[in-house]
Amino acid sequence: MVEKTSLIWMDGKLIPWESATVHVLSHTIHYGLGAFEGIRCYKGASGTSAVFRLKEHVDRFFESALIGGFEIPHTREAITGAILETLRENKLEEGYIRPVVFIGAGAMGVMFTDENPIHVCIAVWPWGAYLGDEGLKNGIRIRTSSYNRHHVNVMMTKAKICGNYVNSILAKKEAVETGYDEALMLDTDGYVAEASGENIFIVRNGSIKTTPLTSILPGITRATVITLAQEKGIPVQEQRFTRDELYTAEEAFFTGTAAEITPIREADNRTIGAGKPGPITLDLQKRFFEVVRGENPTYKDWLTPV
Ligand code: PPE
C-alpha cells in the first residue's frame, strides 16, 4: 500500500490527500489517454534534499502530452514550482514524485472535446527499492514476456502515456504470477525492447550495450548511465540485441527512476554471468547513488534543491 503523505497538488492548489478524487466519467479512466512522470527526490549527505534531473522529467511530461495530442494547462515553470512546493509542504525529504495529467469528465465517446477539462495532479510519497532491497543488492530473476512491447505505429513509446501501461501490467502480472521478479518485453521484430517499467543494459568484454530508442521509453536513468559509463571510458553501443545475447552476457541490469539500477542475475532460468551483480554494474550503481545524493560535484546541475 502506498505510504500516504498529507497533501496533493491538484489543478493549482494543495489539498488533503483524501480529497484528491475524480469523477467516474473522467475520460482517461475509460480510454487511457493521459500522461504521467516518475521522479525521485534524494536526501544528500549534507542533509539537504534535491530532485534528480527535474528539468528532464518536466520536459518529458510536456512531450508526452504533445505526443498524445492534448495540452497541459500550465507552464513548465509552474509545474516545476508545484513539484518543489508539494515536496516542501509534505516535508518529504526522500521519495517519489508522481505528476499525472488526465482528461476529465465532460463529453463521452472516444473523441474528447473542449468540454473535457484537463487536470494535473502531483502526489509524493516515500518509496523504497522498486524491485525489493534484495533485488537491488543481489539481482533479480526475469522472464521474457509473451507480450511484445508496443509497435511504434500502435502506441507511441516515447510518451509516458497512461494507456501504454496496460501492456506493462499484462507483462508484469504474467511474470510475477509465474514466479519471476520482472518481465522483459521484445519488440514486434523479436529484439529486446524494455521491461514493464525499466530500460535494459547488457555488458560483455568490458563494453555496454543498450537498446536503441526506437520502441522504448527514453529513460532518464538510461541517459544517466550512458553518461556515467562514458565518463569511465566504457564504450556504450545503442544497438538492437536478441534474447540469446542477453543469456550470454557477462552482466545485465535494468534502469529506471523507480528501479534505479537493479542487477539481473537470471533471465529465462539461465544464470547471467556469475549469477550475482558484476563489477561494471556495481561500479555504475555506486556512482549513480553518489550522483543522486549530491556526492559528485561534476553532476551538481542534475540536482534541484528542494
Ligand atoms: N521504460 C518504461 C516502460 C518505464 O515505465 C520507465 C520508468 C523506464 C523505461 C525508465 O525511465 P526513467 O524512469 O526515465 O529512467 N518507469 C516508471 C514507472 C514505475 C511505476 O511502476 O509506476 C518509473 O521508474 O518511475
Side-chain angles (χ1 to χ4, degrees):
M1 177 113 151
V2 62
E3 215 177 305
K4 283 187 199 170
T5 51
S6 58
L7 301 164
I8 289 179
W9 189 93
M10 197 165 183
D11 296 329
K13 53 179 195 287
L14 285 162
I15 59 172
W17 176 287
E18 287 75 18
S19 310
T21 54
V22 300
H23 196 275
V24 292
L25 291 189
S26 294
H27 197 271
T28 304
I29 294 180
H30 298 255
Y31 307 110
L33 182 63
F36 69 94
E37 262 310 315
I39 315 172
R40 271 193 193 267
C41 163
Y42 291 92
K43 187 171 177 180
S46 61
T48 53
S49 294
V51 181
F52 185 59
R53 304 198 79 169
L54 179 56
K55 182 183 184 304
E56 289 83 348
H57 282 282
V58 170
D59 284 346
R60 191 173 63 186
F61 191 47
F62 279 77
E63 282 163 15
S64 291
L66 181 116
I67 293 169
F70 58 95
E71 240 174 78
I72 296 175
H74 302 274
T75 61
R76 289 178 197 219
E77 294 68 39
I79 295 298
T80 303
I83 288 170
L84 295 170
E85 186 192 356
T86 309
L87 286 167
R88 279 196 296 265
E89 293 301 315
N90 281 297
K91 299 185 171 52
L92 187 70
E93 293 184 318
E94 184 153 310
Y96 190 78
I97 306 154
R98 169 56 53 84
V100 58
V101 52
F102 62 96
I103 302 170
M108 282 307 279
V110 164
M111 187 64 202
F112 67 96
T113 71
D114 290 346
E115 291 163 3
N116 298 85
I118 309 254
H119 299 289
V120 181
C121 295
I122 301 162
V124 301
W125 63 84
W127 217 8
Y130 184 66
L131 294 162
D133 290 325
E134 165 67 22
L136 192 65
K137 191 162 170 256
N138 296 321
I140 58 166
R141 298 175 56 250
I142 68 169
R143 65 162 280 179
T144 303
S145 181
S146 69
Y147 300 97
N148 285 120
R149 195 57 176 150
H150 298 292
H151 182 276
V152 290
N153 204 25
V154 172
M155 288 297 263
M156 292 173 282
T157 57
K158 289 189 180 52
K160 222 168 152 62
I161 287 176
C162 302
N164 282 2
Y165 284 82
V166 174
N167 175 246
S168 290
I169 294 169
L170 292 172
K172 177 86 184 196
K173 206 163 171 289
E174 177 190 60
V176 171
E177 286 171 357
T178 52
Y180 299 85
D181 301 306
E182 180 55 295
L184 174 68
M185 282 183 284
L186 308 179
D187 65 22
T188 48
D189 291 327
Y191 294 89
V192 170
E194 61 182 340
S196 72
E198 302 89 9
N199 296 123
I200 184 167
F201 286 75
I202 57 173
V203 180
R204 192 206 282 262
N205 295 330
S207 82
I208 289 178
K209 204 179 266 192
T210 190
T211 53
L213 290 177
T214 326
S215 59
I216 60 167
L217 185 77
I220 292 162
T221 322
R222 174 186 180 279
T224 302
V225 163
I226 292 174
T227 303
L228 293 181
Q230 286 169 342
E231 184 196 77
K232 276 276 177 92
I234 303 169
V236 182
Q237 289 172 291
E238 293 177 67
Q239 209 178 77
R240 278 176 147 185
F241 59 90
T242 51
R243 75 168 93 167
D244 42 9
E245 207 173 326
L246 163 67
Y247 297 161
T248 57
E250 290 152 11
E251 302 178 33
F253 57 90
F254 281 148
T255 63
T257 299
E260 298 163 317
I261 297 178
T262 300
I264 300 166
R265 64 180 168 88
E266 202 185 292
D268 295 337
N269 303 322
R270 285 134 173 116
T271 301
I272 306 287
K276 57 181 191 192
I280 292 185
T281 309
L282 286 174
D283 173 64
L284 285 165
Q285 204 187 41
K286 178 171 169 283
R287 289 193 291 129
F288 173 79
F289 282 117
E290 284 167 3
V291 167
V292 299
R293 296 196 194 283
E295 291 159 21
N296 183 341
T298 310
Y299 301 107
K300 254 192 15 245
D301 290 353
W302 283 349
L303 298 171
T304 306
V306 182

